[in-house]
Amino acid sequence: MTPLAGESCTTCKAGAPCVPVEERQALLDQLPGWLLISPDGVDQLEKVYPFQDFNQALDFANAVGELAQGANHHPAILVEWGKATITWWTHTIHGLHRNDFVMAAKTDYLHGK
Ligand SMILES: C[C@H](O)[C@H](O)[C@H]1CNC2=NC(N)=NC(=O)C2=N1
């Protein structure tokens, strides 16, 4: 497990700071395959995980859902035949909190188990 994946989410309240732009690349370097996207100006982390079929993608999505419930931090999940797209951002601050990078790392760890 990477150090980032081993971290826990912290409580994030409205007004909490987003991860400064200058800190993001060092975190992204620990997250292979994750892209930083900004739909409607909201910075998010997104990764597409390939699978053999729909059922495997759905099983992974459900596992990510359990991870999210346990952390009380939830992604957007798109399940399609042969792939699952996971997108993390913090709704409260309309952007990226360290929690999102932590959860992306935990998602990778879950996928590798
Ligand atoms: C009330 C509840 O704790 C909050 O709505 C949590 C739930 N899960 C969450 N998930 C994400 N990604 N961002 C949030 O701001 C968030 N807030």
Side-chain angles (χ1 to χ4, degrees):
M1 179 184 291
T2 64
L4 195 55
E7 291 186 26
S8 298
C9 282
T10 58
T11 304
C12 175
K13 293 188 170 53
C18 292
V19 173
V21 171
E22 61 273 14
E23 293 179 20
R24 292 177 184 186
Q25 193 53 55
L27 291 166
L28 276 172
D29 290 346
Q30 302 173 61
L31 298 171
W34 286 88
L35 298 178
L36 199 156
I37 59 173
S38 300
D40 301 326
V42 178
D43 292 337
Q44 303 173 4
L45 297 174
E46 185 163 283
K47 181 170 182 176
V48 180
Y49 292 87
F51 292 99
Q52 296 295 317
D53 55 29
F54 185 85
N55 207 42
Q56 286 192 8
L58 188 56
D59 286 346
F60 178 66
N62 282 314
V64 174
E66 286 179 27
L67 175 72
Q69 285 292 91
N72 190 33
H73 196 70
H74 303 84
I77 301 175
L78 173 61
V79 180
E80 301 169 272
W81 195 97
K83 58 182 173 179
T85 304
I86 312 294
T87 310
W88 290 102
W89 79 99
T90 300
H91 314 149
T92 313
I93 62 173
H94 307 287
L96 287 174
H97 187 275
R98 188 176 180 89
N99 290 342
D100 299 305
F101 292 88
V102 170
M103 293 306 287
K106 289 181 184 292
T107 306
D108 277 346
Y109 178 71
L110 183 65
H111 179 253
K113 278 204 297 189

